[in-house]
Every structure is written in C-alpha cells, then in structure tokens.
Amino acid sequence: MGKLRLRQIPDQLKVIELIIQKRGPESGPLTQGSAYARARAEARRARATSPPPRDSRAHRRSLLPRSPAPRPRPSLEGLPEARTDAAMSELVPEPRPKPAVPMKPVSINSNLLGYIGIDTIIEQMRKKTMKTGFDFNIMVVGQSGLGKSTLVNTLFKSQVSRKASSWNREEKIPKTVEIKAIGHVIEEGGVKMKLTVIDTPGFGDQINNENCWEPIEKYINEQYEKFLKEEVNIARKKRIPDTRVHCCLYFISPTGHSLRPLDLEFMKHLSKVVNIIPVIAKADTMTLEEKSEFKQRVRKELEVNGIEFYPQKEFDEDLEDKTENDKIRESMPFAVVGSDKEYQVNGKRVLGRKTPWGIIEVENLNHCEFALLRDFVIRTHLQDLKEVTHNIHYETYRAKRLNDNGGLPPGEGLLGTVLPPVPATPCPTAE
Amino acid sequence: MSKQQPTQFINPETPGYVGFANLPNQVHRKSVKKGFEFTLMVVGESGLGKSTLINSLFLTDLYPERIIPGAAEKIERTVQIEASTVEIEERGVKLRLTVVDTPGYGDAINCRDCFKTIISYIDEQFERYLHDESGLNRRHIIDNRVHCCFYFISPFGHGLKPLDVAFMKAIHNKVNIVPVIAKADTLTLKERERLKKRILDEIEEHNIKIYHLPDAESDEDEDFKEQTRLLKASIPFSVVGSNQLIEAKGKKVRGRLYPWGVVEVENPEHNDFLKLRTMLITHMQDLQEVTQDLHYENFRSERLKRGGRKVENEDMNKDQILLEKEAELRRMQEMIARMQAQMQLQMQGGDADGGVHGHHV
C-alpha cells in the first residue's frame, strides 16, 4: 500500500498547484468540491496529451463497481482518458481511482494534504473479483426456431447453448415446457465468469399454450427459494452459490404487426419476478421502416399493458441513470441477428449470414442491433442486472415468503424446531 | 352435313374432314365470354405476409383499408372468415377471383378451436353447391367452393409446428393444400433446403395429402415437361412478396430493400415466387377439376350416405318425420286398396259377363 501512495504523489502535487493558481484571494481547506473536481479535470486534460505507459492502466481505471468487464466500451473512440471520463461521469463527482502506475516516475519528498487512500478500494475489489470470479445466469425464452441458441452463442462468442451440448441435432418439439440449464466457465482478461444459460424448449410451440409460462415461473421461484434457504441457514456458506436468474431474454417473433397474445401474457406474469429484456429475433426479415414501425408498436403495447421491462423506470437511482436508461429504453426492443459463421467482407472476417442478395453483418449497426444488445447486457449493465435481481426481485420474494410464514424464516425455526404455521411468539434468541 | 356450310376450317384436300376439331375453339370462346371463377383460401399465422403475397401474385390491392389489431385485442378474437372478390381482366379473359382470408388463425394462446371455423366454412360451400346442383334451376350455379388453400408455414421454426400438422390433417380431404414457406428472405440457401426437406419428411410422416402437380403428358413439349419437373422439385415453395418498386441494377424491380442488398421478388434465384405463380396459373384448371372430382365427390357421397334431405331438415323434429311417414303409408295403402278393387271388379266383370246388364266397368 505504501508503494501506491508514493506513486500518486506527483498527481496530487499538480492538482494542488492548479488549485492554488485558480483560487486566488479565496482561501479555505482543499476539500472535495466543484473547484477541486474542476482542477482535477484540468490536470487530466493536461495529461491527456501524453499517452499512458501501459494500456492496463486504462483498463483498470474503467473498472468501477458497475461494470467489471475489462475491455473499454467500444462506443467511445479516442484516447484512453476519454474513456475514463465517460466512466467517471456516471458517478457523482468524487475522486478518481488512482492509477497504479503513474505517468512519470518521480522522486517524492513532500507531504500530502488530506489524502487517505479510500479510493484504492476499487483496486482491492477488482483483485478480489478476479480471484473469486463471478456468476451470471441468463434465461432465453421464445418459440422454437427463433435463434435463441445462436444468439447466446454469438453474445458470448462461444458454444454455450443447449444445441452445442446435445448430441443429436434433430430438434423435436417437446410436449411440455422443459427447463434446461447448462453451465460454462468463460475467461477473459483474467476474469472468470461462470455463465449458466437456461433454455426453455417447448415454450409456445403447442396447440394449447395456456399457462406455458408456469414451469418457468416455478423455476425462477425455486432458485429464489434455494438462495433464501441458504441465507437463512445457521451455518452459512461463505459464498452462497447464486443460481437465481439474473436476466431473461424474451424473443419476439418478427411478424411486423404486433405482439402475440402469448408474448403479452408471459411478460405480464414474469416482469415482476425477473428482469425481462425483450428482443426481436431474426431481424433480417424486416426492412428499416418495418423495423422502426414494429418497435414502436411493441413499445406502445408494452406500455399500455403496464409491462416494465429491464431497465425498469422505477429503479433508476439518479438523473444520470435515468438519462442513460431512457436512451436505452427508447431503442428497445433490440432487433438482433445472430450467427456463428464468419465471412470475408471488405477484407475483414465478420460474423454474418450469407444470402444470395448480400451478407448480413451481425456486428454492423446499420444491419442489426446486436452490438447494442451486447454492450447493454455485457459491457454496461451486467452488474446492474445482478444487483436488481438481488436487491429487488429477490427481496420481494423474500418478503413475501417471510410474511406468509409470519415474519419467521421458512421451514425450521431458529432453534431447529419446526414451528407451527400459526404465527407464534418469537423465540427468545430472536432479535 | 357440315360440308354444306362453308367455314374457314374446311380443308378441301381432306374429304373425310367433318370439322369438329373446331369444338375446342367454341369452348374457348364460350368460356372466355363466361369468365373463370377461382376461390383461393389463405391460411397462416398473422404476420407471415399472406396479404402481401396475394397482392403481389395478382398485382392488386385486396386490402386497401387494413387495421392490424394489437395483441390485447387479439386475445379476445376468434378465427374469422373474410372473403374478398376481385374481377381481374387480362387480354379479354375475365377472372373472378375470390380470396378467403382467415384472420385470427394461430393467434390465440389456445388454438384448439382454430380450425373449426375454417372447416365449417369449406363444408358450407360444398353444401351450398350440392343444394344448388340438386335444385330445379341449375342454370346459374355460382361456384364458391374453395379450389385451393395456400398454407403458410413460418420460416422461423425448424419444420412443421404441431398446429400446422393438425390443421393440414383436418382439411387435406376437403381441399387442395399447397404448402408455402413464407418470408423466405429470412433463410440462407442452405437453411432453405434443409427446411424444405424437413417439411416434406414431416408431411410424409404424418400422411398429409398435399396437392400434387399432375405429371406432364408424354405428348407435351420438352420445355413444359422440364418446367413441370422443376415445379415439382421445389415444393414447398419459399416465397417473398412485395409490391414496392425498387431500383436495382439499373432497372425497377419489385422487391424489398435491405441495408445489405435487395431481394427481388421475381428473381428465381432469390425465391420461388415465379414458380408459385406459374403453378397457380397453369394448373388453375386442374385445381378446379380435382376439387370437383375428388373433394366434392367425397363430400357428396358422404352427405348422401348420411341421408339426403338433411339440408332443410335441421329444424324438423322426429314427430314430423313420423307423421310424414304415416301419411305416406296411408297413401300407399289406399293405392293398394284401389288396385285390389280394380282387379276384383275386372275378375267379377269377366265372370259375370253374361249375367250383368248394363254394368260396365
């Protein structure tokens, strides 16, 4: 830790210089305030002219509690400094995490004013996360043949779907909705992610599809129940395995007209239980006008029916969240195309679909919105998905369960005795 | 003798020429004057491009003011039958085309009752024709029977859905089914081949009888034979419909404009639209014949077996039938009695020929 402090001193000196220059007659302690932030912004810009010594610095800087993805966001071109600026703008102005490696190694011998080193916690968190890895559970729901498995494979650039794991490629429609969960460990930039893809074959494929969402709802609630049981245990595990569904991608068939009654019913029932991200599948069926018309209709229908898809308006924490999420909500549902085949286009290898009339590039924003979906789910909102699941959906479930049980944990009582269903007087050891 | 009436068809070099080779021309002229009738039914889930395809096929706009209902309204709706008739004329030949649309099919969450409405409509048309045919005035029978049914299969699935199979099995004995893969621009060539093969396998597996193109006669020319062979090999047809004119390769074509290219509707490499149109036009007569000779006859024999005059007797109750039967019995008994009386009188008259004066029978 001492090493870190030393390296950050030159930055501090520069900032203090700037402040002293600017402040003039005003005097007062150097505190975190707008003057301080502005001065630091200036110092940053001054440094922007010289490139950083190692790319890893920029990477590490972009690691905030929100987005543990190591790669910087592709939407922002330009200097690594610019990237961090944007990352920073999401937070209320507070000190930037100090880089572990300074611009120019300098010898130090001055005393710092008021620097404690609290912001190094970011770095500590990052290290811990790298060690433990984290898990993410994504569920895909939709009629058979809408390209769910292909899309998941394309999202994570690996063969993670049920189709890849099963032996026979002959897809028979199952008679009832099945739930199949397949787990993989993906590693990137030293970060390990345990990804579980939960597939739901048989959804919406029968002649009578009444209540075909019930198995899915049951599965989701079962995962909450499992987590609750672990939480309520006396001897809890250090790290409770998280099998709760963090995100549910719902695939809308690109009819070009409107949602189907089944889509509405499913989303009505499940938007309160899990984060639903509606996605328009096989979007290469629609021309640009058809696409925008369809999206508008779908959004309107969802609104009229009171269906809140992720990112939900009610969970926007502050103005910045709101503006960012508003922009995303305006362009949802994303119209995507998935593919695991590569073709040569203009000298580059791209993922795409080759047809007699052209090649549809999956990552080309003019062709489809796959890149937007990927950035949204993986690069900016991955952690938020998990948090909303934990803080809101899981809490709702937990509150309901505890209420049903009379304010006591489900199943056994605290002393290991099975309590009667009627709310009894609390045990003496309870708070 | 027709030789006495000089017409332009007499060939003086063939003395045995009677001239009834002229008949087809007469038939042709009569039919052209009368015009043709054709009823086409389109069935498929919403949003598969049925209306667009019909408009493209017949170069008309059959649905000028169309309101597409939202999902919430669709929940309440049942399958409806909407028939729109349009008179098309081309080079003096009139075609009275009726397109029967089935909005609401496949929309509901529970589609068990989806096809009841459709089947009863088809039966109703047969019923009406049967009634007209058995009526007194048979001059102007309007043929509203469904001659052909285009069944639209979604390109997004991996083959036939359970609903597709159930529906086709329910109507394959009543109407000619032509399966069509809709929105074919979703599929790459390989996917298309795979899907077609899958569909054909499933059709065979479930013993669904789709309409089979008749083989070309042996005396037709090679081109026609080749064309028929190609058509047969492309079933089910994968089509793209559009009536928008797009500029492509310097000329205006009907197609769909995408950021990655233009799908041309009438390009046989892009989709089978031309094949479908050819099939429909060249085999329109055959479709009507099969409907008449096969499906209608099936229906008719089944109906007559069940006991003829059921057309108006839906309301008649059993008492009335009994009364009628009794009345008939009485009439027959009276007739028998009269005949007996006559015979007796004859016999008496024969015996008492000498004895009776003045009594004549």
Side-chain angles (χ1 to χ4, degrees), chain A residues 157-170:
Chain A
K157 290 219 165 80
S158 7
Q159 298 289 316
V160 288
S161 70
R162 156 183 72 103
K163 296 273 174 70
S165 315
S166 62
W167 286 114
N168 59 335
R169 304 285 297 189
E170 279 292 304

Side-chain angles (χ1 to χ4, degrees), chain A residues 396-408:
Chain A
T396 316
Y397 178 81
R398 183 173 172 275
K400 198 162 77 72
R401 280 290 272 126
L402 293 185
N403 262 337
D404 289 344
N405 229 25
L408 294 157

Side-chain angles (χ1 to χ4, degrees), chain A residues 80-273:
Chain A
E81 297 292 346
R83 283 190 214 124
T84 53
D85 277 359
M88 286 305 299
S89 68
E90 291 179 42
L91 306 172
V92 176
E94 55 181 344
R96 224 177 21 167
K98 294 283 179 292
V101 177
M103 301 275 336
K104 324 173 244 212
V106 160
S107 62
I108 0 70
N109 60 355
S110 65
N111 54 334
L112 296 165
L113 304 159
Y115 175 69
I116 306 169
I118 300 176
D119 48 5
T120 59
I121 196 162
I122 307 288
E123 184 60 29
Q124 302 170 36
M125 278 174 65
R126 198 188 74 82
K127 278 196 173 166
K128 288 259 160 152
T129 314
M130 295 263 285
K131 259 199 255 170
T132 53
F134 60 104
D135 38 20
F136 188 65
N137 307 321
I138 185 168
M139 177 184 260
V140 282
V141 184
Q143 285 187 307
S144 94
L146 281 181
K148 306 187 289 287
S149 307
T150 312
L151 186 72
V152 170
N153 286 347
T154 319
L155 263 178
F156 295 101
K157 290 219 165 80
S158 7
Q159 298 289 316
V160 288
S161 70
R162 156 183 72 103
K163 296 273 174 70
S165 315
S166 62
W167 286 114
N168 59 335
R169 304 285 297 189
E170 279 292 304
E171 301 104 10
K172 286 264 174 206
I173 295 178
K175 293 283 181 225
T176 53
V177 180
E178 296 171 352
I179 311 272
K180 293 212 172 102
I182 299 176
H184 291 264
V185 175
I186 312 182
E187 181 170 337
E188 188 182 53
V191 180
K192 284 201 209 35
M193 174 162 88
K194 181 169 176 301
L195 172 73
T196 307
V197 177
I198 302 151
D199 204 346
T200 53
F203 176 82
D205 288 330
Q206 318 306 327
I207 298 182
N208 183 357
N209 288 315
E210 267 167 17
N211 301 328
C212 64
W213 52 84
E214 274 176 11
I216 299 176
E217 205 175 340
K218 195 162 86 103
Y219 176 83
I220 295 175
N221 284 335
E222 268 171 21
Q223 308 313 308
Y224 288 149
E225 184 68 33
K226 249 196 252 178
F227 197 84
L228 182 62
K229 284 229 163 61
E230 290 286 340
E231 237 190 10
V232 152
N233 233 343
I234 299 176
R236 285 208 286 212
K237 294 198 189 127
K238 183 165 149 201
R239 196 169 154 255
I240 304 176
D242 190 3
T243 54
R244 300 170 294 186
V245 178
H246 299 128
C247 165
C248 174
L249 286 181
Y250 187 77
F251 284 70
I252 298 173
S253 182
T255 58
H257 286 187
S258 64
L259 284 178
R260 301 169 71 238
L262 178 63
D263 302 341
L264 264 188
E265 284 301 309
F266 177 86
M267 287 202 264
K268 256 197 221 166
H269 281 93
L270 282 161
S271 55
K272 300 278 183 281
V273 174

